[in-house]
Amino acid sequence: NAAALRFLIAGGVLVPLVPAFGARWPHGRAEWRLVLWVGAVLFAGDYGLIYWGEQWLDSGLTAVIFAVLPVMTTLAAHFYLETERLTAQTLAGTAAAFGGVVALFADRLVADTSQVWPMIAILASAACAAAASTSGCACPRATERRPLPYST
């Protein structure tokens, strides 16, 4: 599909520029596993599911469903990362962000039962994005010296 071709071209252009970005290639199995995990979950899971789901859903409905991303990321970080705690302030912020998106697109929130699978795909897409985000934070070396997967 066109999105996959776009990402392939972007990778082909950016990989030779790694030294210019001051990035480094991953070292060791753990970092390469993280790169493969994030790549698969983010590109195949997140982007693949959202592009597929958007074929059948209105963009406003898609935006509202995908707006659960901050909520999912906050919850995933709380349970997966030792340094992230769920606080009343964090919950209020994520609820306000979600409420803002709902308010922006409230007039376009129309769904029917024939759209259940595309809606589930958008929710799963947000879950994949949350998983990819928290996975990168869980690897201590992943955030030092601008590693390649987070520089491009």
Side-chain angles (χ1 to χ4, degrees):
N1 87 29
L5 182 60
R6 225 175 51 214
F7 290 129
L8 183 65
I9 292 169
V13 169
L14 292 175
V15 165
L17 298 174
V18 168
F21 290 136
R24 65 170 176 80
W25 288 98
H27 298 291
R29 283 184 188 220
E31 286 187 28
W32 276 108
R33 274 195 304 266
L34 176 64
V35 168
L36 293 173
W37 164 255
V38 170
V41 172
L42 193 60
F43 287 98
D46 178 23
Y47 295 145
L49 288 168
I50 202 161
Y51 287 149
W52 180 82
E54 282 183 321
Q55 295 177 60
W56 290 277
L57 299 177
D58 177 76
S59 60
L61 179 59
T62 299
V64 170
I65 295 170
F66 196 80
V68 302
L69 174 61
V71 176
M72 289 182 169
T73 303
T74 299
L75 292 173
H78 172 72
F79 291 108
Y80 190 64
L81 303 173
E82 292 179 13
T83 58
E84 295 294 324
R85 293 292 160 239
L86 198 55
T87 65
Q89 185 178 4
T90 304
L91 284 174
T94 55
F98 182 74
V101 173
V102 171
L104 283 172
F105 295 104
D107 61 329
R108 296 169 65 184
L109 293 181
V110 178
D112 61 49
T113 55
S114 69
Q115 297 175 322
V116 72
W117 288 113
M119 289 188 286
I120 290 171
I122 303 301
L123 276 173
S125 171
C128 287
S133 298
T134 54
S135 296
C137 294
C139 182
R141 285 186 45 99
T143 55
E144 66 184 45
R145 288 192 55 232
R146 299 182 347 170
L148 180 63
Y150 302 102
S151 299
T152 55

